[in-house]
Amino acid sequence: MIREADLVSYLPPFLAEYKEINIALTAENPEFVLVWEAADRALKNEFIATADEYGISRFEKILDILPSRDDTLESRRSRVQSRWLTKLPYTWRMLLQKLMVLCGENNFSITKQFDFYRIDLEVQLELFGQVEELERIIGSILPCNMIVNPKNKIPCNANGVVYAAGGVCSVEMFFIPNDFNEVISIDGKNVVGSGVVFSEFIEVK
């Protein structure tokens, strides 16, 4: 939390009455605001969850991570958190912990079928680079003889009404020659209606 600097408030009352001292300390208030901002930034950069781009870049340098140009701060933060919590030996609890860090506590489901050497994993990863990080976790923790069936499902719930309209124009041309007389009467109604029902299922792998 950045403090509001007010140096005059630290003076004894009899000194605060002097105009020269009051103005001098008031002029120094912005400098102390900069000091508090720098101290607050240094404190936040000590933790992955609150670090800014400079702080995340320091963590990435420690972990030998090269971010992509398409990475956002949140995707870089997610990758750093996933790799920071790594320790041997790799256990089932460690795998669940890393999945909770990467996906969130309630954004994945995992089914173990150890008798068939198979694991079914369903996640909801939306940030750039999270799928690649999941592949790295699976490749580094799970045994090579274990079959993993991962699915990434991103729910897209859309509410509302979409109106679609269309029109049809019908034109008839009659050529009436001069060599005979012919009477043509046109009577009636031409009503055209249309409806559109559209649904789309997108599976992103």
Side-chain angles (χ1 to χ4, degrees):
M1 180 178 179
I2 300 176
R3 301 184 183 182
E4 190 69 28
D6 186 10
L7 299 181
V8 178
S9 62
Y10 293 94
L11 290 176
F14 71 94
L15 287 179
E17 297 178 356
Y18 290 94
K19 187 175 181 181
E20 295 83 356
I21 299 176
N22 195 306
I23 294 177
L25 292 180
T26 301
E28 294 178 1
N29 284 338
E31 303 300 324
F32 278 83
V33 171
L34 295 177
V35 172
W36 282 120
E37 289 178 349
D40 186 67
R41 183 186 183 191
L43 177 61
K44 289 182 177 179
N45 283 336
E46 292 182 6
F47 306 96
I48 300 175
T50 57
D52 56 15
E53 291 191 0
Y54 171 77
I56 289 296
S57 66
R58 300 296 297 174
F59 283 106
E60 289 173 337
K61 186 175 181 180
I62 295 173
L63 298 173
D64 292 329
I65 298 176
L66 296 177
S68 170
R69 293 186 303 174
D70 298 325
D71 269 321
T72 62
L73 178 60
E74 291 304 319
S75 64
R76 294 168 63 186
R77 191 192 314 277
S78 176
R79 185 183 298 113
V80 169
Q81 286 178 331
S82 175
R83 300 197 187 184
W84 191 262
L85 301 175
T86 301
K87 61 181 179 180
L88 296 174
Y90 293 142
T91 61
W92 179 257
R93 182 180 298 178
M94 173 61 66
L95 174 62
L96 295 180
Q97 183 179 359
K98 295 184 73 64
L99 290 176
M100 282 191 288
V101 171
L102 180 64
C103 308
E105 187 173 355
N106 300 318
N107 292 333
F108 75 95
S109 63
I110 186 169
T111 304
K112 53 184 178 180
Q113 303 180 37
F114 292 155
D115 293 338
F116 301 98
Y117 295 92
R118 177 187 175 93
I119 292 178
D120 295 326
L121 177 62
E122 184 175 310
V123 297
Q124 297 179 12
L125 302 178
E126 301 182 24
L127 296 178
F128 178 83
Q130 284 187 319
V131 175
E132 289 77 8
E133 187 63 21
L134 177 63
E135 293 177 353
R136 191 196 67 82
I137 293 174
I138 293 175
S140 59
I141 293 182
L142 294 177
C144 294
N145 62 342
M146 185 71 66
I147 298 175
V148 182
N149 182 27
K151 293 182 180 179
N152 186 26
K153 292 186 176 181
I154 303 176
C156 298
N157 299 321
N159 297 321
V161 180
V162 178
Y163 297 96
V168 177
C169 179
S170 177
V171 179
E172 294 187 17
M173 301 182 62
F174 297 91
F175 177 71
I176 303 176
N178 295 326
D179 53 353
F180 65 96
N181 294 326
E182 184 176 358
V183 178
I184 300 175
S185 61
I186 301 175
D187 189 13
K189 295 182 179 179
N190 187 8
V191 180
V192 178
S194 63
V196 177
V197 177
F198 177 76
S199 63
E200 184 176 1
F201 176 78
I202 301 176
E203 182 177 356
V204 180
K205 296 184 178 180

